[in-house]
Amino acid sequence: HRRLPAVIPTPPVSASPFPNPKSQYCCLSRNFSAALTPLLPVQLPSRMETHLWYVVPDEVKSAPLLSKYMELLPQSERDHVLGFRGDQLQKSALLARTLVRTTIARYQVDGHLDPRSLRFKRNIHGKPEVEWETKDGFCPPPLQFNISHTSSLVACGVTMNSLIGIDVEEKRRRTKNNILAFAKRYFTAHEVEHLNAIPDSELQQQEFIKLWTLKEAYVKALGKGFSSSPFNTFTIRVNTAAQESFCLPLNQASSGIAVETLDSPQNLTNNWQFALLELMGSHYVAICLERQETGGAGKAFPIKLTARKTIPSVEDELVSGTNAVVTIGGSVTQF
Amino acid sequence: MASITRASVSMPSLSTSVNQSQRRISGLNSVSFPVSGRSMIPSLRLQRGLQVCCAAKQETVDKVVAIVKKQLALPADAAVTGESKFAALGADSLDTVEIVMGLEEEFDITVEEESAQSITTVQEAADMIEKLVEK
């Protein structure tokens, strides 16, 4: 508390997304009072389930709420948030830390868990993990999580046991570079062909973003850092039930998405399964999971997904099964 | 995209700390820094043995700054210096890869994934570029 978090709007020196600080105090609707409501506890996902939580930064406008979130963070994380340039970047960084802390706290591992008390560490490759307290008789749960954020969406995926990587991106995200030039430099030949085959430039841009998020999600799930799996060393392939084809656009909900690594080109790597979602009509969310069990004939069970939109300690909304969350690739059952 | 002129970037540097000024000595056409004790900037004392020769040229840093500003759609007058971290400026992983691609094109170099991953600031990018250009 030595200084006010800069995320509280101050009179603008340069263009600020909060031009009138005082107006933010009264514009929050629904259920908000000075005391935050307790986090709604949630059961840990079962072995076969994936939980997806997300926050829409534009819906979180209250300065007092943001400063409460700041209070949940240790000083080092606050400093990290404040190191971002400008209100909007600071806000999404703050919401990312808030989301991961409050989400994991909801599972009330070992009874009660305060989001403030969670500690995080990085594995030897730099992937963030929870550092559970080592108490007598306490066996830390094999809870896995991964976060991704853009300025317009912050998301956290949680599983039990299964390594997970998630990546979110705005559908409309445009690359500054020419897509094919970029893909030729960084993707595999198969993926370049896939993109090249799409005549409409708008669709091609969207396919690029879908591929990008799937590739990011895979590398994040592996957890070994980007340099250990350069993007041009693995191909994302789309299969339909009828035939293997990566010339089809990623639009069919029954299509399977798989990864093929260059060092074993004949064998599709069966260890990983993917889901591609369209969220709120505006974002792509790619999820990559370590495969736990397979069904008959080497087929995987569909990913069982529960998706919730949240403003931590204010409101939660179950959105899986609604048109806020549309499966556009991979085999997914929404609960 | 207008490139940043030396004058606009480096004039403020005269009043900043010695550390920063080492990297932003302005107005020089030559790249060698005087180490004999006769400083071009009267207010600094360059000590003998100080390795200012290993810092990237101002011109390189300027070009990196221009590419970063373009990629991240920052205003021309945004304060971006050697110390600026890409992530803090709002670069996500796609931006960072695009920045690296832009640097490859600008300087006619190839950046391996391992090196690309280790670049987090403008200065690191500029230093890496100069190493690769030397080859």
Side-chain angles (χ1 to χ4, degrees), chain A residues 196-246:
Chain A
N196 202 24
I198 302 168
D200 181 285
S201 65
E202 195 63 37
L203 286 180
Q204 192 188 61
Q205 181 75 42
Q206 289 180 358
E207 289 302 308
F208 171 84
I209 298 297
K210 291 175 191 174
L211 271 181
W212 176 270
T213 55
L214 286 164
K215 290 171 85 74
E216 282 269 300
Y218 171 65
V219 174
K220 291 176 79 179
L222 284 175
K224 292 190 184 139
F226 286 90
S227 60
S228 77
S229 302
F231 274 19
N232 60 6
T233 63
F234 64 91
T235 293
I236 295 290
R237 283 186 164 219
V238 185
N239 315 313
T240 60
Q243 63 188 47
E244 256 187 56
S245 166
F246 39 83

Side-chain angles (χ1 to χ4, degrees), chain A residues 85 173 176-177 185 216 227, chain B residues 79 88 92-93 98 104 117:
Chain A
R85 184 82 65 88
R173 174 76 182 260
K176 293 289 188 295
N177 290 284
R185 174 67 184 87
E216 282 269 300
S227 60
Chain B
D92 62 12
S93 51
E98 290 217 84
E104 289 187 329
Q117 214 197 2

